Amino acid sequence: MTYLPNILFAIIFVTAIVFFSKNVMRLRRNIKLGKDVDVSDNKSQRWKNMAKIALGQTKMVVRPIAGLLHIIVYVGFVIINIEVLEIVIDGVFGTHRIGLNVLGASVYGFLIGAFEILAVLVLVSVIVFWIRRNIIKLKRFLSNEMTGWPKSDGNIILYFEVVLMCLFLIMNAADSSFQGLDTGNLISQHIVPWFNSMSPESLHFVERTAWWLHIVGILIFLNYLYYSKHLHILLAFPNTYYGKLVPKGQFKNSDAVTREVKLMMDPEADPFAAPAEDAPEAEKFGASDVADLSWVQLLNAYTCTECGRCTSECPANQTGKKLSPRKIMMDTRDRLEEVSKVIDANNGSFVDDGKQLLGDYISHEELWACTSCNACVEACPVSIDPLSIIMDMRQYLVMEQSAAPSDLNNMMGNIENNGAPWPFNQMDRLNWAQEQ
């Protein structure tokens, strides 16, 4: 019976890791549904971007208050959970604070003391975040796409962090042997008076309960990430590594369009000749569904933090247009998850469900409202590029469906016929000078 807690802990821990691994494999499969794209260039710059943006949080502090609070939560939560290693060892082998025996009282006390200070800072930051969302109600958290689950998700993660930090402090405060060391208990010593009336047995029960709830809560949090916008905790690193390196105003050339133009300009090519029987199927222009996007764009969708900085900087959105770059990314992720469920239900094969990203999730009006100014790309703290998805879907509308707005169709027709966007014959261009 003495080994029962250790066996129970091992079962819970292994189950959580297996479930997390399955979600990681599903995530990887979903991202790889996108088209392949070569992002192996300039590795040194990519590593620098990841270190600067994901690890260094440099784009977060553009907004100082939110940036500083996020850094506190980010650093505090990560460092505090280093103690998870000790908890896992204690849980499996039945030891108690193994780190104390390995590191000694002085080093161990210093670490736990630092963890307790960070726990309080995380608590304060999380409370401020909650106030900003629910009391002050910042405008960027009140958009149409931030209702229902997205709104709840933002609060759930804050509650998670409050509970985990409180359990950590209570666990230390109720541990009489740890308090007896009189080192490392910088914060928890002030909680000890809450338990003065308890018997040693009751105090031990409180400590064990807090210990179990703390580790189980962390394992639940780990598996919750896949279903939450907080997946960016893990994906921000690869996403910033694979982020766009060319100037933001530089658009990619479409290989499909390039091939068509080369064929048109080839004097030996017969424009009326039928394609060879073994010729590859003509590539689709642009994107209408998630499978038409690149795997980097799908990684972007899963990495989206839903912070709304992109939408708050978008000039189209600021002037009342329907476009929200955040919604573009959220819709892409939602559609990708829908496709994933179809694949799971059909033994790994996708069966057409009669839906697609364009039309069922993202409207034409949203796409054509975009000014392609790159403000959303510049504002994103984790190098997400909503504009690339918008432009790919626009290309599909223009080249596959001829569904551009009438003004744009007129302009392109004028360029084709007159060599200029205006409806005047080339021979009449200098008429204005003759009238002087």
Side-chain angles (χ1 to χ4, degrees):
M1 292 296 291
T2 55
Y3 294 105
L4 183 59
N6 309 88
I7 295 172
L8 178 61
F9 178 87
I11 292 172
I12 294 174
F13 183 76
V14 171
T15 301
I17 296 301
V18 168
F19 191 74
F20 175 74
S21 299
K22 287 184 176 180
N23 279 339
V24 169
M25 295 303 294
R26 183 184 296 111
L27 176 67
R28 184 174 182 273
R29 180 202 67 188
N30 294 349
I31 291 174
K32 288 182 72 66
L33 292 175
K35 292 182 177 180
D36 193 23
V37 60
D38 185 12
V39 283
S40 60
D41 61 314
N42 207 340
K43 293 183 179 179
S44 62
Q45 184 60 48
R46 294 186 181 280
W47 282 109
K48 289 177 183 177
N49 287 349
M50 185 177 72
K52 182 175 66 173
I53 300 172
L55 187 62
Q57 305 277 293
T58 52
K59 295 190 75 173
M60 284 299 302
V61 295
V62 171
R63 301 189 180 191
I65 296 176
L68 178 60
L69 293 173
H70 187 274
I71 289 175
I72 291 173
V73 173
Y74 166 72
V75 173
F77 192 77
V78 171
I79 292 179
I80 290 169
N81 283 319
I82 293 175
E83 196 196 13
V84 172
L85 176 61
E86 179 187 54
I87 293 177
V88 170
I89 295 174
D90 286 345
V92 172
F93 296 102
T95 54
H96 182 68
R97 293 192 181 269
I98 187 68
L100 180 60
N101 297 329
V102 174
L103 302 174
S106 58
V107 176
Y108 185 79
F110 172 79
L111 289 176
I112 299 299
F115 294 167
E116 289 193 356
I117 292 173
L118 284 171
V120 172
L121 291 175
V122 169
L123 277 172
V124 172
S125 300
V126 166
I127 291 170
V128 174
F129 278 141
W130 187 89
I131 292 172
R132 282 159 57 89
R133 280 181 173 272
N134 300 282
I135 304 297
I136 300 176
K137 295 184 178 180
L138 295 181
K139 183 179 178 180
R140 62 190 173 101
F141 297 131
L142 300 177
S143 302
N144 292 334
E145 67 266 21
M146 295 306 293
T147 57
W149 169 248
K151 181 178 180 180
S152 299
D153 179 39
N155 284 324
I156 287 172
I157 209 72
L158 296 178
Y159 301 143
F160 247 118
E161 291 172 347
V162 167
V163 170
L164 290 177
M165 295 303 102
C166 288
L167 287 171
F168 171 71
L169 295 173
I170 291 172
M171 177 181 72
N172 288 347
D175 188 345
S176 56
S177 61
F178 171 70
Q179 292 297 323
L181 295 173
D182 198 25
T183 180
N185 56 344
L186 297 178
I187 306 298
S188 58
Q189 63 178 317
H190 301 292
I191 305 176
V192 171
W194 299 358
F195 309 115
N196 282 343
S197 61
M198 288 187 176
S199 65
E201 293 77 13
S202 298
L203 192 61
H204 178 71
F205 176 79
V206 170
E207 188 271 335
R208 286 290 84 190
T209 300
W211 185 92
W212 275 99
L213 290 176
H214 183 68
I215 184 59
V216 171
I218 288 173
L219 295 176
I220 292 174
F221 175 83
L222 180 67
N223 284 284
Y224 173 75
L225 289 180
Y226 176 82
Y227 307 96
S228 167
K229 71 186 183 73
H230 291 81
L231 192 57
H232 73 267
I233 293 174
L234 304 178
L235 295 186
F237 293 91
N239 198 76
T240 50
Y241 179 85
Y242 292 117
K244 186 177 179 181
L245 296 182
V246 297
K248 289 183 174 60
Q250 179 179 330
F251 291 102
K252 67 176 182 179
N253 288 325
S254 170
D255 293 335
V257 174
T258 301
R259 283 194 296 270
E260 290 292 324
V261 171
K262 286 182 177 179
L263 180 63
M264 292 170 60
M265 298 182 68
D266 185 356
E268 299 181 359
D270 182 358
F272 302 104
E277 293 184 0
D278 59 346
E281 184 178 350
E283 185 176 346
K284 179 179 180 179
F285 294 108
S288 64
D289 209 352
V290 289
D292 303 323
L293 300 172
S294 73
W295 66 264
V296 173
Q297 290 170 314
L298 300 186
L299 174 63
N300 280 185
Y302 274 119
T303 309
C304 180
T305 69
E306 299 178 16
C307 65
R309 294 190 181 200
C310 55
T311 295
S312 68
E313 297 288 341
C314 175
N317 186 272
Q318 289 179 4
T319 54
K321 305 295 191 302
K322 194 174 180 180
L323 174 65
S324 167
R326 171 173 56 190
K327 180 180 177 294
I328 297 293
M329 303 315 301
M330 293 170 67
D331 285 343
T332 303
R333 173 174 175 165
D334 289 346
R335 173 56 182 164
L336 187 52
E337 278 297 296
E338 186 176 49
V339 169
S340 175
K341 291 176 182 177
V342 173
I343 293 175
D344 290 338
N346 291 278
N347 299 317
S349 300
F350 178 70
V351 177
D352 187 8
D353 60 352
K355 296 180 181 180
Q356 60 178 5
L357 182 61
L358 177 60
D360 292 299
Y361 285 84
I362 300 173
S363 67
H364 296 197
E365 181 183 353
E366 293 173 80
L367 296 176
W368 292 114
C370 178
T371 67
S372 66
C373 68
N374 270 292
C376 57
V377 183
E378 179 66 29
C380 181
V382 287
S383 301
I384 292 170
D385 187 359
L387 179 59
S388 66
I389 296 177
I390 293 173
M391 297 307 293
D392 283 351
M393 298 182 80
R394 275 185 175 182
Q395 186 183 68
Y396 173 83
L397 289 174
V398 172
M399 303 193 71
E400 293 282 349
Q401 295 191 332
S402 299
S406 58
D407 289 343
L408 184 57
N409 279 332
N410 292 336
M411 182 197 72
M412 290 189 290
N414 290 331
I415 290 175
E416 181 180 1
N417 298 320
N418 306 322
W422 301 282
F424 305 112
N425 189 285
Q426 295 185 44
M427 301 298 295
D428 298 330
R429 285 185 178 179
L430 295 178
N431 287 354
W432 66 272
Q434 299 173 5
E435 297 174 359
Q436 301 299 322

